[in-house]
Amino acid sequence: MKKTQLFALSALLTSLMAGCGGGGSGAAAGPLPVPSVSAQPAAPAQPTAPPEPALPTQPAPSLSSWTNVKFGGGGYVPGLVFHPTSPDVLYARTDMGGAYRWNAAASSWQPITDGFSAAESFYHGSESMALDPNDDKRVYMSTGMYLSDKADARLYISSDRGDNWTYVNLPFSAASNAQGRAVGERLMVDPNKPAILFYGTRTAGLWKSADRGQTWQQVTSLSSHKMTKAQIEAVFWSGVVGFEQVIFDTSTKGSGSATQTIYTAVAPDYAAVAGLAYSMYKTTDGGATWTGIATPVAGYHIPHMVRAKDGMMYVAFTQGAGPGASGSARLYKFDGSNWTLLKSYDSSGAGTGFGMGGLSVSGTGATTRIALGVSNSWGNWEGQPVVQLSDNAGATWREISAMAPHGGDKDGWSGWVDDVEIDPNNPERILHVHGGGVWETRNASAAKPSWSNATVGMEETATLALTAPPPGASYSLLNSSGDIGMVVHTDLATAPVRGPKGWFGNSNSSDMAWSNPAYIATIGTTTWNHPNVGGAYSTDAGLSWTAFPANHPDGLANQGGDSTLAVTKPGYIVWAPSGSVPAYTTNHGTNWTYTNLPAVAQGRSYRLAADRKNPNRVYAYESGGGWWGPAPTFYSSTDGGHTFAVSSQFSAAGPRPEFVHNTSLAVNPNAEGDVWVADGHSIFHSTDGGATWIKLSVTGSIWGSHPTSEWPEVYGATAIALGKAPAGASYSASVYMVGAIKGVWGVYRSDNGGGSWSRINDDRHQFGGIGAIAADQNIVGRLYVSGGGRGVLFNN
């Protein structure tokens, strides 16, 4: 959500995260949520153990509904888009957690991209959304999370407010989870002739469609330049922003004739390589020719520009690309010829480098209401600018957020105020985004407006690991997530309050002692105010926390998201930082001793699991680090994770080398030595602590056009968990798996030890792919899953 990705990895991320190659221009695709998959070609020959004996077919469980475990927001919402005339038609686009539609009757957000499959996880973030002013049911959404020099973006199109989608492949790239992701909107519909769409791209200039987005042509009359890979890499870290917005300068709609006067804005990065001398351009002939507009400041970004109903343009200039863009910054109004300065911020010392982000207007003339989001302004103090409001077209201003009442505050509201929207049908209602969701006031004219945390139904946490406790625990789930750290869920319908709040940026892994689940340990990434805390433990089920007195010798140097830990009993922990030799402690982290496990290079790490019946047994799985890596290896310990022995028979079972985040290790809590591994493609099972293994011939990766020696379009088996079995089951636990069986990706359950499987989700509940899972030990059939930026969900 707030993580910048290396451009050099963008092509790889396209396939690893999305499961889809980029491609093509203007090719129509089938309706979502039916995924397009191809038959799996024969995989390279590998030695396999004999298959397990067939077990009786289990009855298919009825498909259940899925509900979010409550957190409340949790992620960045770069843009809010109102329909200009239809009340309460409002959408929120997120950077990596799909999109939402406002449900006014329920005062909550409704997810509208849960039908996106694992093959579409790369498209589960929206760079821009646009609504048809003449048809309040038609919505467009551009997708593609990470930037490349390829044509790998998509345009999703809905004619029923996002209930169903079709898509076309776009002839350029998009980056919903990159810097500058709140600028815009980049995508706009001509209100007079809604078949016409314009799109301001990051790397390839301005584009136009004349057939409702089905085909696209570059507007070469303005620029024909397409940034090369080298040009993109040269400015990647400062932000590849490109064209920032399109504004149709009209007060009419539905005339049938294309709007002739259009404005667009271009960022310094693209302007420099394309030879564009201005940051704003205007056409008066529908895009046939363009004229540069001399702006009062140069070299700035234009995060937002808006048009009032009287034709006055309001334009924000800020130096940084955002999120939370820094200043200096300026706000001007522009009548087509003259610029008038309305507000400015300059960097003149600590705490003064404010930028401008969100911008919205209502009304006309001298009484125009302007709402301005001030970015890079942190905290809550008298005189702080967060949301500035003017009711006289910018002549005077007052602050309406800082020091105002904020009901339900968990994580603040300032800093990343990169989009602000005045409800076009109710100017008293103003919403703004921040790093953790959306805030709303409905009495903006009050001296101190009251604000509410408008995130009901919106769950946008990026979950890294889930762990369910044994029966009888006082909580339901341990949730290790990116950006928000670790939380303990005691009530699935209530936002969690337990956890080492603020101690970790990301929580990478958490575990509890099975003999005493009140003992919990977690590891994560350090923060500015806890720079030496790599792990912590609780002895009271998460009510209070103690930092490890010392860290794993490599724990602070290697804080990657593939780090894991296992708790064998209170105070006894094995910690495997990414790219490191695991170490163990027997005294709550006071001392750490390396295990005898082999060293692994960066990009490789160990998955750890403690046996729940015998705390002396600990298991370690090393995936090989990628398709090019060595064969995966499995290790077992019988002395609490101090020393390990390798399983020679595991390698003979034929696991494939894979990225560790595409693999899973789980134990049956009801039987000693009962271990399961998903290597990304297949499932492996041992009942003797890893000495011998059986490969289940049930799952299969979907390779599509990808070579079978590399990565598939859809992985066959990426996550596995074991939970409470139904009465009379032939195996002591229900086994859950995320992967593909007979060419259909989904979440599967087996109640007979893997002999037969039933899918327990459907095509409308795919959540942009599923990462971590955990199975409940108290409720038969209940599974917790992490969606693609959709937080944690469970089946009812």
Side-chain angles (χ1 to χ4, degrees), residues 510-555:
S510 304
D511 198 14
M512 77 291 293
W514 210 252
S515 60
N516 179 10
Y519 187 90
I520 305 170
T522 187
I523 54 173
T525 61
T526 53
T527 60
W528 66 271
N529 56 339
H530 291 85
N532 297 312
V533 178
Y537 69 94
S538 173
T539 60
D540 53 14
L543 290 170
S544 62
W545 291 85
T546 302
F548 290 163
N551 293 300
H552 183 296
D554 308 309

Side-chain angles (χ1 to χ4, degrees), residues 433-724:
V433 307
H434 73 123
V438 180
W439 284 91
E440 174 189 68
T441 182
R442 291 179 180 256
N443 61 337
S445 294
K448 289 288 186 182
S450 56
W451 293 82
S452 60
N453 196 345
T455 55
V456 175
M458 181 179 287
E459 300 289 344
E460 201 208 342
T461 56
T463 309
L464 302 179
L466 296 171
T467 312
S474 62
Y475 54 92
S476 300
L477 188 67
L478 303 183
N479 177 354
S480 302
S481 288
D483 298 322
I484 63 172
M486 184 267 196
V487 294
V488 181
H489 293 281
T490 58
D491 181 349
L492 301 181
T494 304
V497 296
R498 297 189 191 182
K501 184 175 181 179
W503 288 25
F504 304 101
N506 302 337
S507 176
N508 296 325
S509 180
S510 304
D511 198 14
M512 77 291 293
W514 210 252
S515 60
N516 179 10
Y519 187 90
I520 305 170
T522 187
I523 54 173
T525 61
T526 53
T527 60
W528 66 271
N529 56 339
H530 291 85
N532 297 312
V533 178
Y537 69 94
S538 173
T539 60
D540 53 14
L543 290 170
S544 62
W545 291 85
T546 302
F548 290 163
N551 293 300
H552 183 296
D554 308 309
L556 297 188
N558 299 322
Q559 302 180 43
D562 293 327
S563 304
T564 60
L565 89 166
V567 176
T568 60
K569 53 187 177 181
Y572 289 66
I573 305 165
V574 187
W575 179 356
S578 59
S580 304
V581 175
Y584 65 88
T585 181
T586 60
N587 49 20
H588 309 282
T590 300
N591 304 103
W592 294 89
T593 304
Y594 283 116
T595 68
N596 69 329
L597 286 166
V600 292
Q602 291 298 322
R604 296 168 60 185
S605 56
Y606 289 94
R607 288 206 177 276
L608 300 175
D611 195 290
R612 301 310 195 182
K613 299 295 285 187
N614 182 352
N616 290 321
R617 285 186 178 270
V618 181
Y619 310 106
Y621 174 68
E622 202 280 293
S623 69
W627 67 83
W628 59 84
T633 47
F634 183 89
Y635 303 86
S636 60
S637 171
T638 58
D639 58 6
H642 301 184
T643 60
F644 287 81
V646 67
S647 169
S648 58
Q649 205 278 329
F650 178 75
S651 297
R656 294 180 65 121
E658 190 50 74
F659 297 100
V660 66
H661 59 260
N662 290 328
T663 69
S664 184
L665 168 64
V667 297
N668 181 352
N670 305 306
E672 180 179 342
D674 196 336
V675 191
W676 296 75
V677 168
D679 72 345
H681 307 272
S682 302
I683 301 170
F684 301 82
H685 184 202
S686 173
T687 58
D688 54 11
T692 60
W693 291 86
I694 292 175
K695 179 180 180 180
L696 278 64
S697 300
V698 60
T699 63
S701 295
I702 302 169
W703 296 91
S705 60
H706 292 187
T708 57
S709 60
E710 297 181 359
W711 64 87
E713 290 188 353
V714 176
Y715 283 89
T718 57
I720 199 158
L722 288 87
K724 184 175 176 64

